[in-house]
Amino acid sequence: PNGGLIQPADEKYLEVVLLENKLTIYAYDIDVKPVATTSLKLEATTQLPRGKAEPLALTAKANHWEATFDPKGAHRYTLNLTISHDGHSHTNSFVLEPGAM
């Protein structure tokens, strides 16, 4: 819906939009309708190639989360998102290529 990468996550969908170092993450229900951030818990980590996973701070907005991440010149990195709702938890991994999006 916003031109990013989308993946199923349990009973939801997650979409990641990358613009330079700014990440915007959207959550959708099964009908791909936006879900309010207040109804979900989202945690994120980033991992550079051959590096350890590091926590990424997310800022919740009404219908999306925002974060910034400097890949330090890496051509790609992994963004791991763990979404929790209604007692369920699911983790998705997105491989992001800053120059390609």
Side-chain angles (χ1 to χ4, degrees):
N2 292 292
L5 301 172
I6 192 164
Q7 291 183 4
D10 194 23
E11 298 171 353
K12 308 282 185 225
Y13 289 96
L14 291 173
E15 180 184 23
V16 175
V17 178
L18 176 64
L19 183 59
E20 295 182 15
N21 290 348
K22 181 182 174 188
L23 293 159
T24 307
I25 303 157
Y26 299 90
Y28 304 103
D29 65 13
I30 199 74
D31 297 320
V32 195
K33 302 238 186 292
V35 175
T37 57
T38 56
S39 66
L40 305 170
K41 180 181 177 189
L42 188 68
E43 296 176 348
T45 62
T46 55
Q47 186 171 2
L48 294 171
R50 295 181 296 280
K52 295 168 76 173
E54 301 287 336
L56 179 66
L58 299 172
T59 302
K61 303 293 183 180
N63 67 344
H64 66 277
W65 293 266
E66 293 179 352
T68 56
F69 177 70
D70 180 5
K72 299 175 178 76
H75 295 290
R76 72 178 53 91
Y77 64 93
T78 303
L79 174 67
N80 297 304
L81 298 175
T82 301
I83 187 172
S84 303
H85 64 94
D86 303 326
H88 298 140
S89 181
H90 186 84
T91 300
N92 286 66
S93 293
F94 291 84
V95 176
L96 302 178
E97 297 181 8
M101 295 182 83

